[in-house]
Structure formats: structure tokens, C-alpha cells
Amino acid sequence: MRAVVFGAGRIGCGLVGRLLRQAGHEVIFVCRSPDLARHLQRVGRYQVRLVWGPDSDEHVVDGIEAVAAHRSNQVLAEVAAADLVATAVGAGNLAAVAPIIAAGLARKDTTANVIAFENLLDAGGYLADRVAAAMREAPQALEHGFSGGLVYGAISQRLGDPNGHRPLTFVGEPGSTFVVDGRYLRPCLPQLEGMIVAHDYPAWVRRKLYTYSAGHAATAYLGHLKGYHYIHTAIRDPEIRWAVVEAMTEGQQGLAACHGRSFAGGPQDLAAIVARFENAGLNDPIERVGRDPRRKLRVGDRLMGAAHLAEEAGVRPEKLALAAAAALLFSPTDPAAGDLQRDIATTGLASALEHSCGIDVGVGAGRWVAELWQRMIGGWEPGNLLLHLEPILWAWQSGLRP
Amino acid sequence: MIMVRHPETRSSPVMPEVARLLTEWGADVEVIYPDDRVTDVSRVRVERDLYVLKSGTELALSLAGVLQMAGAAILNPYPACVMLRDKIVTTGVLARAGVPIPETLITSRPGLLAPFLEDGPLVVKPYRGSQGRGVSVVWDTEEIDQLPDLDGPLLVQRYYEPDGRDRKIYCIGGQIFGVKRVWPARTYTEKLGEPFTVTPELREITMRVARALGLGLFGIDFIISNGRPLVVDASSFPGFKGVPDAPLRLADYLYAAAERVLSGEPALEESVA
């Protein structure tokens, strides 16, 4: 089986390429960066280091090929010859790769599967729509299977220089799994280690978003406020750990009301998630995990989506709202966070949140977020940090007298 | 970690916990007690990515000097630690940096201080000292004669009545923590005190101290006189007692510093260096 992977980043190489090669499939990466494509083609391999605290396990992924995205004729030919197309290009770039995928699929006379490993609620549907739009004259393209690829596992960093001769190393955690949407995939799907073919894919997306992703974001935003640099240090702070577990419990209670208790999971599942956050081997910086709070605060996304679901289940999403309020004070060095804070300063919280994230601060979880933000903002200034979350105690505060 | 071994009666759980956390996170941590062993100075090599100078003994400081001259990354940096050992130089540097300090005199002859007592009592400190050792408050000329036999220069500062609370500010890489304690603190619990929110003015003073001395990990003692804070002492790598989750914060800071070193950057963060 031959697979084309769009995106040779952390997920593309660290997870997708590794699992495909491990199962003996041919893999060719399509890289936006010509330098990276040249490097992978020249070196022909890379390494994946799976780490758990101080322990690690090295995997060599060899026999790979790569092509630069701008070489459209070659990319098109590769897609036409592929049985599986995967994307891991970032949600914002998905629309840009749709036309070439469409053109390649149009040339096929057998069916293929397309899996979008992107941070979107319905990445498969989104990509299918764009491919369909690009193929108005060849609608047979949609005879192929389309699915999102929901990754349970972190590939935290890439080490090495694409301009050098030594293989790159991708660092991630062991035991990663991913979920694909069995409803829309075609039978030619390869068997890959850790792949779960789900027929209730949207529920799986929610489960990941409203527990793991909500907890990850809460750790980053509260950790930033308390001055930590890494996820693995912030989660060891007793106050943060408690708030994160509470936030994920709120998310889990909302899920349980919708999908049943056994699907939502219990405390042992949350303990396993917290143990993953503790994994210092990933060396995951808070600056990276908390990036783009505007997107992460959207209604339906990890924090507010979980909060609304909890509310519908009659659960007050107190700690989810706390994490969302903390997200509004995330590092101003993050461009999206800075934009959001400028919007709030210019138009006020209610307007900024409604326009940026679709949050109504007048009701429910939105009101909680606004109230908690109001309690925090009194002492917040860039560079300040919280000594305690409850009661709120800032390291320094304007207006205080000696 | 360059450490000094404390007597078992002294509770000092912070650094062992820092070492435990760093080890748990994958760092290879070695604890060195230079005062408990004989070291061949010609065989000292830089064998670690980062050295953490916690001990304040003369031998530890000298060993840090040998290491730094050999190219080691050390926190706090050796030159800053050397400067801090000399209270006269430290006070002068702070004054030049615009850090408010009490009226400060230096002398080697305590008898010459008598005229200055007319404006109020004085605090007499040995110029190389720590943890309050050898510090006396002098109210009149008779007390000058009764001063313990202090060998070497003296740092003499105007005395201000404490307000009953001992307030300290600790700094971990640009993060500041105010801790207030009863004075004098006797038990470990009393020494832990409680955190408090500091004023922007105190924060600015603390950051000025950090920049002037080139320190990432330090503590300052200050008093409030007529509503104005005055810095009376600074110490390198104190015990951080009372800082919430101090071992975790220190380990986080040292881990980030080691990462900077591995990336070819200085161990000390840019805002202070």
C-alpha cells in the first residue's frame, strides 16, 4: 500500500509516517518547505523518540520519500497513485491542499481513503467539502473515503536541522492512538497500530476535546498565570492539578449525560490523562500549548464546549470557566492572545468575546467567565503572577501602598 | 548542585526536593559537598551542563570560580556571588543603580562612629557576613566599646525601628515573591511565614537589584521608613522559605536555564543578564 502524507511535521512524521512505515507501507511526504523535502529525500529516514519521564525508546523510520508541495505535477501523480492520503498541515492550511488532492483523486480509477489529522471538529467533512468544491467537473472524487484523524497522544517537538545531514528526531509520548470515522471510510483502509475505527466519531471528538484537550489548555492557562514554563511543572502545582482535574470532571459529567457514563470515562481515565501531562520527557512548553486562546475559547471548542455541555447536564462548570478566564490573560507575546487582549481593551469584554469566540457573557458559562475575569483583572498586568488561585493573590499589584 | 551539608537539626527540605524533581524530569543531578571532601584543583573539569551554586561557603565559592573560569554555566554566576559576599561593594553597586538604601557608612574603626550616633542608632555589620551573624545595633558610645571584636571593615547603616514584621522579597528568575514573618522567627513554621502582595515600587526595586547584581535567584531584606522602602541586605540563592511551591518553582526555573544552556544561550535569562 502506498500513502501520501501532506505535512512532515510533528504529527505527520512523528505519528502518521511512523505507523505507516511500521506496518510496511510506502510513504511519501509532501512538504511545504523545499528544504525539508530535500532533507527527507536525501537522508531517507528520521527518528522518533518516545519518552516517558527519564526513559525513552528510539524508533528509526526509514525508506521514506519526500516531495516539495510546489512541485504540483509530481504531488498530483503521487496522490493519483496512493491508496491512502493523510494530511497533518494544520487546520488553517487544509483548504490550500484540497485542490491538489482533488486533482490527484480525479485521476484514480480505484478508491482511496483520505484522513485529515487536523484540529477540527469535523476535519474529514471539511476537507471533503473543499475537495468536492475543487472537483465540480469530476464529482466521482467523493467516491473516496474521507475522515478526520483524532490523535490521542502528543508529539511535542522536532529536533535537528533540516539543512543538515543528520536525521531529524521527533519527540513524543508512547502509546498514542488515533480515531477515524468508520462511517465514511472505504474498505481499503490499512490496519495500523493504535487506530480505532469509530462509528460514533463526533462523540469521540467531544470526548477528547472536553477531557484531554480541556485539561491540557487549563494546565497551560493556569500554569502561565502562576509563572510556570512547562506543562509537566504546572500540573505538579497542587492548586493547578486540583483545578485541572475538576475542569475535566465537569467535562466528563457533560459527556456522561450525552453519551453515557462508560463512554465518558471516570476518575481513572482522568488520572491517566494527568499522568500524561506529568511526562517531563515531552518537555512541552506552556507557551506552545496555550497558543491561540482565541481559537481555543470558541463556543464548541475544548473549554466553552465542555462548559456548555456540563451546564446542559446541570453541572456548574466552575473550573472550566476559571481556565477560560485565565486564557484571556495568556501571554501577550502570543500574537493571538495579544490581539484578544487589545480587542477587550478597545471594545470591552462582552463585545470582544462575542465577536472573537461567540461567547455570550450575559448567561451561563459565559457569565461565569466574565465574573472570574473581573476578579482576576484587578491585579493582572503582563509579567505578574498568581501566588494563589484561591483566594486570588497576586505577586504585586498597582495601587498598593507600602 | 554545589551544596553545604546542614546539621540534621536544621530543616532544609527545599533543595533535596528540587533535586528529586529534576531527576524525575530526566536531568542527571549530582550533588557536590566541596567542604566534605578533598578536591584536586588541577583536575576540576566542566562535566555538567549547568552548575547550581547553593552553598555559601568560601570553598564552594572558590570551586565555582574555578569552574566558571573553565567555562561552566553557573547559577548564580560566580562574579555576582563574589560581589554579594562583600556588603560594601554590594551596597555601593545598589546605590549606584538607584536602589534606595539607608544612610550607609564604612569604616574599620568603630570608635570613629560616635559623632554619627547623634542622629540616631546605627546597625553595625561585618562587611563579609551572612544570616545576621555579628550584626549589632548601637545606641550610644558605650555600646561601641562593647562591640564584639570585629576584624576587618564594617558596614554601618542607620537603624530604623522594625514594624514588628520581617518582610522579605525573593526572586526566582524575574518572578517576585513577598513573604512576611514574625520577627524574630524561631520555628520552621514561623520562618515559612506567609506570602503577601508587594507594591509596584518594591517590584521595580527588586528588578533593579536583579539587573545591578546580575542575579536570577536571590532574596532582599527591606525596611519601610517614612513610607519609603529601603533595601538593607541582599543574598544569593536563599532558602526561599515561604515562597509558595518553592521547590517546584525553583526546579522549573533551573530546568528552563539548563535548556537555555543546551541551546547555546546563557544560563541567566536575558532580562537580568
Side-chain angles (χ1 to χ4, degrees):
Chain A
M1 177 169 278
R2 189 164 174 83
V4 175
V5 180
F6 283 81
R10 292 177 292 117
I11 294 295
C13 287
L15 181 82
V16 184
R18 173 172 63 86
L19 294 176
L20 283 163
R21 286 298 300 136
Q22 195 173 296
H25 303 299
E26 295 172 37
V27 175
I28 180 159
F29 290 100
V30 179
C31 311
R32 189 168 57 175
S33 155
D35 287 347
L36 182 56
R38 269 194 297 274
H39 170 91
L40 291 173
Q41 184 67 21
R42 186 175 67 243
V43 178
R45 65 195 164 107
Y46 59 85
Q47 294 173 141
V48 177
R49 185 180 303 152
L50 301 180
V51 292
W52 192 259
D55 302 320
S56 67
D57 195 8
E58 299 269 347
H59 297 255
V60 174
V61 181
D62 55 12
I64 56 159
E65 299 171 62
V67 58
H70 69 83
R71 301 184 67 168
S72 48
N73 285 339
Q74 192 183 344
V75 175
L76 193 152
E78 292 294 349
V79 173
D83 307 292
L84 177 73
V85 176
T87 75
V89 293
N93 300 314
L94 203 50
V97 299
I100 195 89
I101 293 174
L105 291 177
R107 285 199 190 175
K108 287 188 71 67
D109 47 18
T110 56
T111 55
N113 283 305
V114 182
I115 302 177
F117 291 87
E118 313 293 351
N119 253 331
L120 281 176
L121 291 177
D122 181 19
Y126 177 88
L127 182 57
D129 287 348
R130 268 132 199 92
V131 168
M135 296 201 59
R136 268 180 303 221
E137 292 170 17
Q140 75 276 16
L142 294 186
E143 291 167 6
H144 303 285
F146 282 86
S147 168
L150 181 70
V151 178
Y152 276 80
I155 308 293
S156 61
Q157 51 184 324
R158 185 190 81 185
L159 307 174
D161 179 8
N163 293 312
H165 296 283
R166 301 181 65 176
L168 301 173
T169 298
F170 295 84
V171 182
E173 63 182 342
S176 296
T177 59
F178 67 97
V179 183
V180 293
D181 193 341
R183 295 171 301 172
Y184 303 119
L185 288 171
R186 301 295 174 249
C188 54
L189 188 67
Q191 287 300 308
L192 298 176
E193 183 189 311
M195 183 172 75
I196 299 166
V197 182
H199 293 276
D200 48 358
Y201 184 78
W204 281 83
V205 172
R206 280 176 151 189
R207 192 173 96 143
K208 185 198 172 189
L209 268 184
Y210 298 167
T211 54
Y212 178 91
S213 305
H216 214 205
T219 308
Y221 294 132
L222 296 174
H224 171 74
L225 279 187
K226 291 196 82 174
Y228 296 106
H229 295 91
Y230 305 97
I231 292 295
H232 69 261
T233 52
I235 197 64
R236 282 172 168 83
D237 179 301
E239 283 189 330
I240 293 177
R241 188 188 189 92
W242 179 74
V244 166
V245 171
E246 287 291 301
M248 291 196 294
T249 304
E250 291 161 8
Q252 218 173 37
Q253 288 169 326
L255 287 164
C258 269
H259 305 291
R261 213 161 266 288
S262 65
F263 180 80
Q268 71 284 359
D269 298 288
L270 300 187
I273 291 173
V274 167
R276 287 166 62 183
F277 296 164
E278 285 179 337
N279 185 359
L282 293 176
N283 209 14
D284 221 356
I286 279 173
E287 282 282 346
R288 188 192 78 78
V289 178
R291 206 156 47 199
D292 199 357
R294 192 196 288 259
R295 176 171 65 81
K296 289 170 182 157
L297 279 173
R298 278 185 203 143
V299 167
D301 212 301
R302 60 214 70 193
L303 294 172
M304 297 312 290
H308 288 308
L309 202 63
E311 277 191 304
E312 282 172 21
V315 174
R316 198 159 86 169
E318 200 176 323
K319 292 297 180 274
L320 286 164
L322 177 70
L328 298 171
L329 310 180
F330 189 59
S331 173
T333 57
D334 177 76
D339 287 348
L340 183 56
Q341 284 154 21
R342 272 187 293 279
D343 284 354
I344 293 171
T346 311
T347 66
L349 182 72
S351 167
L353 283 190
E354 190 176 347
H355 287 114
S356 293
C357 317
I359 298 172
D360 180 352
V361 300
V363 292
R367 201 179 67 200
W368 275 97
V369 174
E371 284 176 12
L372 287 161
W373 176 82
Q374 203 61 252
R375 278 175 57 198
M376 285 184 190
I377 195 69
W380 181 76
E381 286 180 54
N384 205 352
L385 75 150
L386 275 180
L387 302 178
H388 285 303
L389 288 177
E390 192 61 53
I392 283 175
L393 184 70
W394 288 101
W396 50 277
Q397 195 162 345
S398 297
L400 278 188
R401 292 171 156 271
Chain B
M1 291 183 175
I2 305 174
M3 307 273 288
V4 64
R5 210 182 291 277
H6 292 301
E8 285 180 9
T9 50
R10 180 171 159 183
S11 185
S12 50
V14 171
M15 292 312 289
E17 179 62 7
V18 170
R20 189 193 69 76
L21 285 166
L22 289 171
T23 304
E24 186 180 307
W25 300 345
D28 185 7
V29 178
E30 181 189 5
V31 179
I32 306 169
Y33 297 101
D35 291 271
D36 290 1
R37 67 185 196 185
V38 176
T39 304
D40 181 344
V41 75
S42 65
R43 301 183 71 158
V44 172
R45 300 276 184 276
V46 179
E47 293 168 332
R48 299 289 177 174
D49 299 309
L50 178 68
Y51 288 82
V52 178
L53 178 57
K54 176 68 181 83
S55 169
T57 69
E58 295 288 346
L59 186 58
L61 189 58
S62 295
L63 176 62
V66 173
L67 284 164
Q68 180 139 3
M69 294 309 141
I74 299 186
L75 286 177
N76 288 309
Y78 169 75
C81 295
V82 168
M83 180 162 45
L84 271 176
R85 298 305 296 270
D86 186 327
K87 289 185 189 299
I88 294 173
V89 176
T90 303
T91 307
V93 168
L94 294 183
R96 280 187 62 83
V99 174
I101 57 167
E103 176 191 358
T104 300
L105 313 164
I106 55 174
T107 184
S108 288
R109 295 171 60 189
L112 298 176
L113 295 171
F116 297 93
L117 286 169
E118 287 173 16
D119 293 332
L122 298 167
V123 185
V124 180
K125 307 175 181 179
Y127 88 116
R128 293 174 81 88
S130 62
Q131 298 177 332
R133 279 190 287 269
V135 176
S136 304
V137 180
V138 175
W139 296 78
D140 54 45
T141 49
E142 283 175 17
E143 286 181 332
I144 291 180
D145 299 334
Q146 292 162 11
L147 281 173
D149 193 16
L150 297 171
D151 193 19
L154 300 173
L155 182 91
V156 184
Q157 292 184 317
R158 186 63 63 196
Y159 172 78
Y160 300 93
E161 187 71 32
D163 67 357
R165 290 277 198 164
D166 185 10
R167 287 170 187 254
K168 283 182 180 289
I169 293 180
Y170 293 114
C171 190
I172 301 177
Q175 298 181 349
I176 62 165
F177 306 89
V179 175
K180 57 185 174 186
R181 305 180 178 124
V182 294
W183 189 85
R186 293 187 179 88
T187 66
Y188 182 69
T189 308
E190 283 179 352
K191 285 176 184 170
L192 286 179
E194 58 180 312
F196 74 97
T197 301
V198 306
T199 63
E201 184 187 16
L202 271 172
R203 173 180 178 262
E204 171 52 32
I205 289 170
T206 308
M207 297 319 295
R208 209 172 277 188
V209 171
R211 287 190 293 269
L213 301 179
L215 291 169
L217 299 161
F218 65 96
I220 59 173
D221 294 346
F222 67 95
I223 55 166
I224 303 290
S225 172
N226 294 326
R228 187 164 170 253
L230 299 171
V231 173
V232 293
D233 203 5
S235 54
S236 171
F237 216 137
F240 296 101
K241 289 188 181 72
V243 172
D245 305 299
L248 187 60
R249 291 180 183 280
L250 281 166
D252 179 84
Y253 174 76
L254 293 173
Y255 194 92
E259 283 231 303
R260 282 195 292 273
V261 172
L262 290 172
S263 309
E265 298 169 40
L268 200 62
E269 63 274 23
E270 210 170 87
S271 59
V272 175

